[in-house]
Amino acid sequence: MRLVLYYLIVLGSSVVISTYGPHQLAQMTGDILLGGLFPIHFGVASKDQDLAARPESTQCVRFNFRGFRWLQAMIFAIDEINNSSTLLPNITLGYRIFDTCNTVSKALEATLSFVAQNKIDSLNLDEFCNCTDHIPATIAVVGAAGSAVSTAVANLLGLFYIPQISYASSSRLLSNKKQYKSFMRTIPTDEYQATAMADIIEYFEWNWVIAVASDDDYGRPGIEKFEKEMEERDICIHLNELISQYFEDHEIQALADRIENSTAKVIVVFASGPDIEPLIKEMVRRNITDRIWLASEAWASSSLIAKPEYLDVVAGTIGVALKAGHIAGFREFLQKVQPKRDSHNEFVREFWEETFNCYLEDSPRQRESENGSTSFRPLCTGEEDITSVETPYLDYTHLRISYNAYVAVYSIAQALQDILTCTPGHGLFANNSCADIKKMEAWQVLKQLRHLNYTNSMGEKMHFDENADMAANYTIINWHRSAEHGSVVFEEVGYYNMHIKRGAKLFIDKTKILWNGYSSEVPFSNCSEDCEPGTRKGIIDSMPTCCFECTECSDGEYSNHKDASVCTKCPNNSWSNGNHTFCFLKEIEFLSWTEPFGIALAICAVLGVVLTAFVMGVFVRFCNTPIVKATNRELSYVLLFSLICCFSSSLVFIGEPQDWTCRLRQPAFGISFVLCISCILVKTNRVLLVFEAKIPTSLHRKWWGLNLQFLLVFLCTFVQVMICVVWLYNAPPSSYRNHDIDEIIFITCNEGSVMALGFLIGYTCLLAAICFFFAFKSRKLPENFTEAKFITFSMLIFFIVWISFIPAYFSTYGKFVSAVEVIAILASSFGLLACIFFNKHKPDVH
């Protein structure tokens, strides 16, 4: 056990002496120490380690001016808190801030420094060594930037419950509190960002896009969520690619080939600036300027990409950026930076040299230049005017990540303030106890942060939700080219509010957007051209659903907007126009009183009624003449009345069919004709019996008396009446609108039962056949008695008409069905009238 303790003493001593971690840092001592992880460089130099000698630490390359500004925001916040009389009075915050170089290895190297120091403090080794000047434990860490880096750091810090508050890591995987116990952030999760980007694509009606994601814990989960959102919206991703700043040139070129050959014009990128920069460079080299970029917040305002030399390719980019915040006094703080004044911040020297393209005295980079490993630069004094140069470091117009870092520091300070002002019995720990600010441990600060709730200097309510995320909104920006000096201007064109109802979350002012840097017309990025109104999208085999062919709507269907998925069927009373863009009301047709055909039929029916009435008038006027008496006067009256009913029944077939007219017309026609034919039948049979008996005996006269004749007529008619009653009771006819014909609605009568109609006409024809039989049998009567012959002719006409009626009835439709039946009624009625009454002359019968 003592050997272990001695080993730890040696380890602790080495930590104190060498301040274990990357050699370059910004640090200041204090009562309470905060750690910081910032990407001061974009990456590390690529170097193969063949392990022939002791491996050397990789060198960070390409200075990140924005990353340095984020670091300055943390230092500024700590200075403000230390100078505050209300927040943490009599307590000084210190910091140790390292450069992650945007890589996991450098970040873990720095994180080990925080963890090792905390473990030394927890062992209480004062009795073994003089530790009065040792560095205090780090009670919280602000950082890191990239999600992949934060994921690795969170795994390590989580083992020791050291709170970590990231200002820029938005991967939704980091919301898993079971895996990342101590991770928190002041940036919204990509869960919302992916939805916002999908909503933007839907807003501009694009359905054919390219998706590019960084091959890390930021890009992969982000694009995965984005894919799900796109599936819900039926939007297709043509290419789905991964990218990294460490890709070989041939890999970047192959990716650029696929993008160049794609018909999709919108490229959605879930990656950081360093990861996407190689692709942008290749696109610039090829001069591919007809693409629209949709940027995630990681590079939506990246100074690495927003360069004038890239603008021909990236101008018009739509970015989903974090909502900007305001930090009072930060502008002046940034302008005061100077190598001699900020000796505690070792990054300032490199910042100065990169800004003024010079070397400070005794700079290690100057020695490298003398050795020929870097290009020559002049010396600088360190007192140059920082405001005289253009640098992303001073771009404080939209503080997004800087503000998040500022908020992260204040959140930790507020948690410490809650511990400092805690009243025993009202604390968050066992038995409602409070933590001791002088002896507190990192896990106690983590507990306090989880219950944090305060109002910041901008009046915003700040707290972490159940996933340790802070709620925030996005700003939609558009990359414009500055008319003055050709640089990139981030124009705010809208916002995305994740806290309001779906459909109202996104707002974009299209009038502010410049596509490709100059155009106001929304670019086209669809697999197929829009389908015009009157057509629908048709599926193309073996192609995504976003690729379709435009198929014209069928007759009776329409589409009144572009890109209709289906054509809408017109209502029953409507039909589509020639272009199938709308429906118009169908023309309603029936055998009308006002149309020429209806008028002609009505005139014929009225003429028949008038003629029949005229004949009846003649019969009444000359009722006592021999010719009238010879025709069986009383029965002739009934016959003439039935003919009037026959002609009149045809009028019921004209006009718009109503339920009552439909139920009246067939029975009226059927009963009228049966009454008529019954009279003719009785009359013919009586004549035949009289002439066959030779001498009209009293028995014949008695048997064929007037009462019996009327009884026979009544019985024959009664059968037809019963057929009609049964028909109307069981299947009454009704008015029916026939929509089967294009553009026309025929109002007709649904007869209810075709069988009943068949019985009605069949019974009538049966009586007519019997009548024809008796009339034919009477053909040998005296030549001067020709009535039987004309009755035979009338029955032949009747049969011809009604036999022709059957196929005509079933082969016509609409109003012509009624017209056919009216013609049949009128033809047979006129035939009966003419054959029976218009041939009368005085017979030689006494």
Side-chain angles (χ1 to χ4, degrees):
M1 184 65 181
R2 291 185 62 83
L3 288 174
V4 174
L5 289 175
Y6 280 125
Y7 173 75
L8 290 173
I9 291 170
V10 173
L11 176 63
S13 299
S14 67
V15 170
V16 173
I17 294 169
S18 65
T19 60
Y20 178 80
H23 68 279
Q24 196 175 17
L25 76 162
Q27 66 176 345
M28 187 179 70
T29 59
D31 302 320
I32 298 174
L33 198 64
L34 305 184
L37 296 172
F38 291 87
I40 309 303
H41 293 85
F42 284 114
V44 294
S46 178
K47 181 185 292 186
D48 292 332
Q49 300 284 3
D50 58 5
L51 301 182
R54 184 184 182 88
E56 297 180 0
S57 177
T58 52
Q59 183 181 1
C60 298
V61 294
R62 296 190 300 166
F63 193 83
N64 183 358
F65 290 93
R66 290 180 70 220
F68 181 66
R69 187 176 74 233
W70 302 342
L71 176 149
Q72 289 289 78
M74 178 177 176
I75 294 176
F76 176 74
I78 290 175
D79 286 350
E80 271 192 342
I81 294 166
N82 289 338
N83 293 325
S84 173
S85 59
T86 57
L87 188 59
L88 298 179
N90 303 319
I91 294 178
T92 302
L93 295 181
Y95 53 83
R96 294 179 72 216
I97 304 175
F98 294 98
D99 179 12
T100 66
C101 301
N102 207 35
T103 60
V104 172
S105 58
K106 289 292 183 181
L108 287 178
E109 191 177 347
T111 306
L112 284 172
S113 173
F114 303 142
V115 173
Q117 190 61 50
N118 280 30
K119 295 308 292 179
I120 292 296
D121 275 11
S122 66
L123 293 175
N124 296 319
L125 298 178
D126 289 346
E127 59 179 295
F128 296 99
C129 66
N130 181 14
C131 297
T132 54
D133 295 329
H134 83 288
I135 300 172
T138 303
I139 54 93
V141 176
V142 175
S147 294
V149 175
S150 282
T151 299
V153 171
N155 279 318
L156 185 54
L157 293 180
L159 293 174
F160 307 99
Y161 293 93
I162 300 174
Q164 172 193 359
I165 303 181
S166 173
Y167 46 84
S169 299
S170 55
S171 172
R172 64 191 182 94
L173 299 180
L174 289 166
S175 295
N176 185 348
K177 292 302 105 185
K178 291 182 179 179
Q179 186 172 355
Y180 307 106
K181 305 178 183 67
S182 63
F183 179 82
M184 312 176 91
R185 54 185 160 191
T186 55
I187 184 174
T189 172
D190 287 337
E191 191 84 12
Y192 303 113
Q193 183 178 194
T195 305
M197 296 174 82
D199 282 348
I200 290 172
I201 291 172
E202 186 178 33
Y203 177 82
F204 289 113
E205 298 180 354
W206 297 322
N207 70 4
W208 193 237
V209 300
I210 298 170
V212 179
S214 56
D215 190 11
D216 54 28
D217 288 341
Y218 170 72
R220 287 190 301 269
I223 212 69
E224 180 184 336
K225 172 64 176 176
F226 176 75
E227 288 173 7
K228 292 180 180 177
E229 292 289 337
M230 297 289 272
E231 286 178 8
E232 291 178 4
R233 293 165 173 78
D234 291 328
I235 300 173
C236 301
I237 298 176
H238 184 211
L239 297 176
N240 200 338
E241 304 286 346
L242 294 176
I243 196 171
S244 170
Q245 60 179 310
Y246 303 111
F247 269 17
E248 300 290 340
D249 288 344
H250 68 88
E251 294 177 290
I252 295 296
Q253 290 170 6
L255 174 57
D257 286 338
R258 292 191 291 274
I259 291 175
E260 188 173 12
N261 294 330
S262 172
T263 56
K265 301 300 181 183
V266 174
I267 306 173
V268 180
V269 181
F270 245 99
S272 62
D275 284 324
I276 195 62
E277 186 187 24
L279 177 61
I280 298 295
K281 284 183 176 179
E282 181 63 22
M283 301 288 278
V284 170
R285 188 185 70 80
R286 300 186 183 204
N287 195 30
I288 302 174
T289 60
D290 61 342
R291 299 298 195 269
I292 296 298
W293 301 81
L294 181 54
S296 65
E297 52 79 25
W299 72 280
S301 56
S302 172
S303 60
L304 192 63
I305 308 300
K307 295 179 179 179
E309 58 265 33
Y310 296 161
L311 261 181
D312 287 341
V313 169
V314 298
T317 294
I318 299 294
V320 180
L322 299 173
K323 185 179 179 181
H326 175 69
I327 306 176
F330 188 47
R331 174 179 180 178
E332 293 75 15
F333 177 81
L334 293 177
Q335 293 175 344
K336 288 179 182 178
V337 66
Q338 225 176 30
K340 295 179 180 178
R341 191 178 69 85
D342 298 302
S343 58
H344 61 281
N345 188 345
E346 298 176 8
F347 301 110
V348 173
R349 293 178 62 85
E350 184 177 358
F351 160 72
W352 204 263
E353 292 175 348
E354 293 297 325
T355 300
F356 294 100
N357 195 27
C358 65
Y359 289 127
L360 292 167
E361 191 176 355
D362 298 329
S363 170
R365 285 167 289 280
Q366 182 185 13
R367 291 192 290 272
E368 293 175 3
S369 175
E370 292 172 353
N371 294 333
S373 58
T374 60
S375 60
F376 173 78
R377 294 181 182 181
L379 288 174
C380 45
T381 62
E383 296 180 357
E384 287 78 6
D385 183 8
I386 190 66
T387 61
S388 65
V389 293
E390 185 178 340
T391 169
Y393 169 74
L394 291 179
D395 182 14
Y396 39 72
T397 52
H398 300 291
L399 298 176
R400 308 182 195 280
I401 303 298
S402 300
Y403 181 71
N404 285 352
Y406 179 81
V407 169
V409 174
Y410 263 89
S411 297
I412 296 170
Q414 190 63 48
L416 296 174
Q417 177 73 11
D418 292 342
I419 291 174
L420 179 65
T421 58
C422 177
T423 303
H426 296 86
L428 298 176
F429 305 100
N431 301 319
N432 295 325
S433 61
C434 298
D436 186 349
I437 193 74
K438 297 180 180 180
K439 298 180 180 180
M440 67 180 177
E441 297 183 39
W443 65 269
Q444 293 173 314
V445 179
L446 177 60
K447 175 74 171 178
Q448 202 72 47
L449 280 168
R450 288 178 178 175
H451 293 80
L452 187 68
N453 197 337
Y454 73 102
T455 303
N456 67 6
S457 58
M458 292 180 62
E460 298 173 334
K461 294 286 185 181
M462 310 300 291
H463 73 280
F464 294 97
D465 61 20
E466 65 275 7
N467 294 321
D469 301 329
M470 269 194 179
N473 298 318
Y474 294 107
T475 298
I476 311 301
I477 61 174
N478 183 221
W479 290 23
H480 289 191
R481 188 193 298 269
S482 172
E484 298 177 0
H485 38 72
S487 61
V488 178
V489 176
F490 302 120
E491 180 72 22
E492 292 190 5
V493 296
Y495 60 81
Y496 187 83
N497 190 336
M498 62 187 69
H499 303 297
I500 59 179
K501 64 181 181 179
R502 189 183 181 99
K505 295 177 182 289
L506 178 67
F507 169 78
I508 293 179
D509 186 353
K510 288 184 179 180
T511 61
K512 293 184 178 180
I513 297 178
L514 290 179
W515 302 104
N516 299 112
Y518 60 87
S519 175
S520 59
E521 183 180 354
V522 178
F524 182 83
S525 185
N526 292 10
C527 182
S528 303
E529 292 288 337
D530 293 342
C531 287
E532 294 298 321
T535 63
R536 64 172 178 83
K537 295 188 286 188
I539 297 174
I540 302 177
D541 291 339
S542 73
M543 291 293 287
T545 56
C546 300
C547 303
F548 49 82
E549 58 185 0
C550 297
T551 305
E552 188 176 7
C553 293
S554 303
D555 290 339
E557 297 181 343
Y558 75 99
S559 64
N560 56 7
H561 59 88
K562 287 186 175 182
D563 278 347
S565 299
V566 294
C567 295
T568 305
K569 190 175 179 61
C570 291
N572 280 339
N573 64 340
S574 303
W575 193 251
S576 57
N577 66 327
N579 294 329
H580 303 282
T581 54
F582 64 89
C583 294
F584 60 88
L585 291 176
K586 289 182 178 181
E587 182 181 351
I588 295 177
E589 283 199 6
F590 51 85
L591 190 57
S592 171
W593 292 101
T594 57
E595 65 177 291
F597 193 34
I599 293 172
L601 293 176
I603 290 172
C604 289
V606 172
L607 179 62
V609 171
V610 171
L611 288 175
T612 308
F614 172 76
V615 173
M616 182 178 280
V618 171
F619 266 60
V620 172
R621 173 69 179 80
F622 301 100
C623 61
N624 294 317
T625 61
I627 190 171
V628 173
K629 290 181 179 180
T631 58
N632 199 337
R633 182 176 52 190
E634 290 77 8
L635 207 57
S636 293
Y637 291 156
V638 176
L639 177 58
L640 287 168
F641 170 76
S642 67
L643 282 173
I644 291 175
C645 292
C646 288
F647 283 114
S648 299
S649 67
S650 66
L651 296 173
V652 185
F653 287 81
I654 303 174
E656 182 178 350
Q658 305 290 337
D659 286 346
W660 69 271
T661 57
C662 290
R663 291 167 188 168
L664 173 64
R665 64 183 195 171
Q666 297 293 6
F669 141 72
I671 293 171
S672 299
F673 266 89
V674 165
L675 179 61
C676 177
I677 294 173
S678 298
C679 292
I680 297 172
L681 175 62
V682 171
K683 189 176 183 182
T684 304
N685 196 31
R686 175 178 176 277
V687 170
L688 180 63
L689 290 176
V690 168
F691 276 95
E692 284 185 350
K694 305 295 183 183
I695 301 172
T697 63
S698 59
L699 177 63
H700 288 129
R701 291 178 181 176
K702 180 179 179 182
W703 181 253
W704 280 103
L706 190 60
N707 293 335
L708 183 59
Q709 293 177 45
F710 282 123
L711 177 62
L712 290 174
V713 170
F714 171 78
L715 290 175
C716 291
T717 307
F718 180 74
V719 173
Q720 185 77 303
V721 170
M722 292 309 298
I723 291 174
C724 294
V725 169
V726 173
W727 180 8
L728 294 176
Y729 180 78
N730 290 302
S734 60
S735 175
Y736 168 68
R737 290 178 177 257
N738 187 347
H739 300 275
D740 296 338
I741 308 301
D742 301 350
E743 305 183 20
I744 298 174
I745 298 176
F746 286 117
I747 304 181
T748 59
C749 286
N750 179 4
E751 302 299 352
S753 172
V754 178
M755 183 180 293
L757 179 61
F759 275 120
L760 184 140
I761 296 176
Y763 178 68
T764 305
C765 291
L766 175 64
L767 292 181
I770 296 171
C771 186
F772 175 79
F773 172 75
F774 285 122
F776 182 77
K777 196 175 179 181
S778 304
R779 69 187 184 282
K780 296 180 180 180
L781 293 178
E783 292 183 2
N784 60 348
F785 194 87
T786 59
E787 186 176 27
K789 295 178 183 179
F790 285 102
I791 290 175
T792 303
F793 292 149
S794 69
M795 291 301 103
L796 283 174
I797 294 171
F798 185 87
F799 279 126
I800 291 170
V801 168
W802 289 102
I803 289 173
S804 302
F805 164 77
I806 294 173
Y809 181 85
F810 287 104
S811 62
T812 55
Y813 56 88
K815 65 180 181 180
F816 302 108
V817 174
S818 298
V820 165
E821 193 162 357
V822 170
I823 292 172
I825 292 171
L826 293 177
S828 54
S829 298
F830 275 115
L832 292 172
L833 178 64
C835 290
I836 295 174
F837 292 101
F838 287 175
N839 66 331
K840 295 300 179 186
H841 60 86
K842 184 175 179 180
D844 296 330
V845 179
H846 301 282

